[in-house]
Amino acid sequence: MMKGLLMKDLKLMMTQFAFLILLPAVGAVFVVPTGEMSMGFGYITAISGLIGVTTVNYDSYDNGFAYLFTLPVSRRGYVKEKYIFAALSSVAVMMAVGVFMWALMAAVHPENAYAFTDFLGDMENSYLIALTALAFMLPVFLKFGAEKSRFVLLIIAGIFMGVMIGVSQVEALRDVELGRGNWARVITPILCLVWLSASYLISVRIMEKKDF
């Protein structure tokens, strides 16, 4: 049934195809005039984290949850699929648009271009940020629905900005070594995984207590 849920959400995501094909254009708007891609890629990171989460809204329309759970779908399985799909859709969008922006930068502003390996390192950091945002957003959407989530997310946005500042401080410590590797590169993914696990358990509890 997991495959069926993933296919359902993929088809829902493709209903936003017109929006998705605009993302490279948005990236170009940042890259071409300024000759740098950090701000544009930060925007793409934020958007990519939302794409998978918004499928919850479609599921809730017209008492959709009540119908969905008449199928052989457990609430825990539903939550697990949401996290998997959101994580996969996020990295897919980031990779597609990010590679386009990197290639555009190399073509239009070769003096500012940087190695693809460095780009992949930035991609890793941005993906961890997207996963952190996902871990905030999914429990909120599952708990409050689309309408109320807008207000709650305003509060979470402030919290997330604090997280971003914390991440930037961690990045500033990259020169500090721990054994053979950089400690920040080791501990940041671990913290992200812990937070995702906690978020998943919170989401499961939210769904198990809901009445449809």
Side-chain angles (χ1 to χ4, degrees):
M1 201 62 200
M2 178 69 70
K3 180 180 178 181
L5 290 173
L6 289 170
M7 291 299 297
K8 171 188 71 68
D9 283 347
L10 179 61
K11 290 181 181 296
L12 287 174
M13 189 177 81
M14 295 312 295
T15 63
Q16 306 176 55
F17 183 73
F19 169 73
L20 293 174
I21 61 175
L22 284 176
L23 292 179
V26 172
V29 167
F30 284 100
V31 170
V32 174
T34 65
E36 64 91 31
M37 58 182 289
S38 58
M39 183 177 295
F41 196 64
Y43 175 78
I44 299 301
T45 297
I47 294 298
S48 69
L50 276 171
I51 292 172
V53 175
T54 55
T55 59
V56 175
N57 297 340
Y58 290 97
D59 291 341
S60 64
Y61 288 156
D62 294 329
N63 207 26
F65 280 129
Y67 170 75
L68 186 63
F69 291 122
T70 62
L71 303 173
V73 178
S74 68
R75 300 189 183 207
R76 181 177 292 269
Y78 174 83
V79 172
K80 183 185 297 184
E81 185 273 338
K82 285 301 173 192
Y83 278 83
I84 293 172
F85 180 78
L88 292 177
S89 61
S90 177
V91 74
V93 170
M94 287 176 62
M95 280 297 296
V97 181
V99 169
F100 169 79
M101 292 175 67
W102 176 82
L104 185 63
M105 171 78 80
V108 179
H109 297 283
E111 71 281 2
N112 294 339
Y114 55 104
F116 190 70
T117 53
D118 294 334
F119 163 72
L120 291 178
D122 291 344
M123 176 75 71
E124 175 191 350
N125 297 333
S126 297
Y127 187 52
L128 291 176
I129 293 171
L131 290 179
T132 303
L134 164 67
F136 274 115
M137 290 186 293
L138 258 175
V140 173
F141 271 76
L142 291 172
K143 175 69 174 178
F144 298 103
E147 294 300 322
K148 293 181 180 178
S149 292
R150 295 174 185 173
F151 301 103
V152 178
L153 285 174
L154 287 175
I155 300 172
I156 290 181
I159 298 172
F160 186 61
M161 285 300 295
V163 173
M164 290 283 287
I165 293 171
V167 170
S168 67
Q169 293 301 313
V170 170
E171 291 295 311
L173 297 175
R174 285 193 160 211
D175 291 334
V176 179
E177 299 292 331
L178 179 62
R180 295 182 179 178
N182 184 287
W183 75 271
R185 286 190 180 277
V186 174
I187 197 171
T188 304
I190 293 174
L191 290 175
C192 183
L193 182 61
V194 170
W195 171 233
L196 271 174
S197 300
S199 172
Y200 167 74
L201 293 175
I202 292 170
S203 295
V204 169
R205 183 169 178 81
I206 288 170
M207 288 302 293
E208 288 178 341
K209 294 180 70 174
K210 270 185 172 291
D211 293 323
F212 300 111

